[in-house]
Amino acid sequence: MSDASRDGGRLDRLEELPIVDGFLAGLGGFLGGYVVFVGLLVGSGALTFSQGLTTALRSAAQVFYNAFNVPTYTRQTLRIEQSGQVQEQVTEVWSNSVTGFQSITRTQLVDGEVVNEVSGGGTAPTVSALPDVVYLAVPILAIVAVGVVLGYRAIEVDALDPNEIVFGSVAAGVAMAAGFLALSLGVSFVLVRTGENAVLYPARSEAVLYGIAYPLVGGTASAALGQVLQGQGTGRDGPDSDEADEPTEDRVARPVDDPADGEE
């Protein structure tokens, strides 16, 4: 095969990659998981709308972030005067309503010199009557569901070629990660809440880290599954399956010469 043919084949394959569909699938995985989460919280009685729709949905979003390992970050600063010196007591808490919390309290001078530091941690109160594993599974299942659909419907499988499946699946996973990350990071800014000397929002570094990791791993694996299911559904068993259906020269029936034709 010539270099031009190889380059043309690669270009055609790149044009077939599910970039846009994968990005939309990533958005759908985030939004779909959040909607399921709200339903679970409402159904279990952990979420009510007594304080208003906006407050309830924001609270549910914080717990949804916790479900894919993004803690809620809280920082509170208090100014105190002790022994004639003005000091600041800064408390930072990384809380996860599903897995627990960690905290650091620093007493420091105004110029930033730390006088004392205390750290702690513990378990978080139960979100609702449902097991924690149910909440932890929701983001994963949402990503897997859209990934399977993406692999089945948006990636054309000509044959069950492992290289083709890996290539398409990784591309789908990367595209899904981009879409999921866009909402994971973007919504974290929407959820910022401020109070007297305090601020609260989903931890940004974890929102980026897990906003990429979850859809990249889950999306790649589920897109591969979707492609396999598509190949099986169309009756393609392997790279040579199409050739098996075509008549070959050896299989074409040939007329048998009649001995009488040779007699005069």
Side-chain angles (χ1 to χ4, degrees):
M1 181 182 293
S2 65
D3 293 338
S5 298
R6 290 192 185 97
D7 293 340
R10 290 169 184 167
L11 181 59
D12 291 340
R13 186 59 178 147
L14 289 174
E15 291 176 350
E16 294 173 0
L17 291 179
I19 304 301
V20 176
D21 291 332
F23 185 86
L24 295 176
L27 298 178
F30 187 96
L31 294 174
Y34 172 63
V35 170
V36 172
F37 223 87
V38 171
L40 286 174
L41 291 174
V42 172
S44 64
L47 180 68
T48 63
F49 299 97
S50 58
Q51 296 182 346
L53 179 62
T54 301
T55 300
L57 294 179
R58 290 172 69 96
S59 298
Q62 294 285 0
V63 182
F64 177 63
Y65 271 89
N66 295 167
F68 61 97
N69 281 328
V70 179
T72 301
Y73 174 74
T74 306
R75 178 186 176 94
Q76 184 178 34
T77 303
L78 298 176
R79 297 178 69 90
I80 57 178
E81 184 174 348
Q82 186 175 358
S83 303
Q85 289 184 322
V86 177
Q87 300 178 345
E88 290 183 342
Q89 186 179 71
V90 180
T91 301
E92 295 179 290
V93 180
W94 293 264
S95 62
N96 189 318
S97 57
V98 179
T99 60
F101 74 92
Q102 292 181 337
S103 65
I104 297 177
T105 300
R106 292 189 302 272
T107 302
Q108 60 190 36
L109 301 179
V110 178
D111 60 5
E113 179 184 353
V114 177
V115 178
N116 185 36
E117 182 174 296
V118 178
S119 60
T123 58
T126 303
V127 176
S128 73
L130 295 176
D132 291 343
V133 68
V134 174
Y135 293 110
L136 295 174
V138 169
I140 298 175
L141 294 178
I143 291 170
V144 168
V146 296
V148 169
V149 174
L150 176 67
Y152 189 87
R153 298 182 63 88
I155 304 177
E156 183 177 352
V157 178
D158 293 330
L160 290 183
D161 182 351
N163 294 327
E164 292 288 312
I165 290 178
V166 170
F167 188 71
S169 299
V170 172
V174 171
M176 285 182 62
F180 195 96
L181 175 63
L183 285 180
S184 175
L185 185 60
V187 174
S188 70
F189 288 92
V190 177
L191 295 177
V192 173
R193 287 189 290 177
T194 58
E196 186 176 358
N197 303 317
V199 62
L200 177 151
Y201 52 84
R204 301 271 163 68
S205 57
E206 287 86 350
V208 172
L209 175 61
Y210 294 111
I212 294 175
Y214 269 66
L216 181 60
V217 175
T220 300
S222 57
L225 176 59
Q227 291 179 82
V228 172
L229 293 175
Q230 180 196 149
Q232 292 178 344
T234 54
R236 295 176 176 134
D237 299 325
D240 300 328
S241 58
D242 290 337
E243 297 178 2
D245 296 333
E246 297 178 358
T248 62
E249 183 178 355
D250 294 336
R251 292 176 184 172
V252 176
R254 302 188 180 191
V256 178
D257 295 336
D258 189 347
D261 295 339
E263 298 180 355
E264 297 181 357

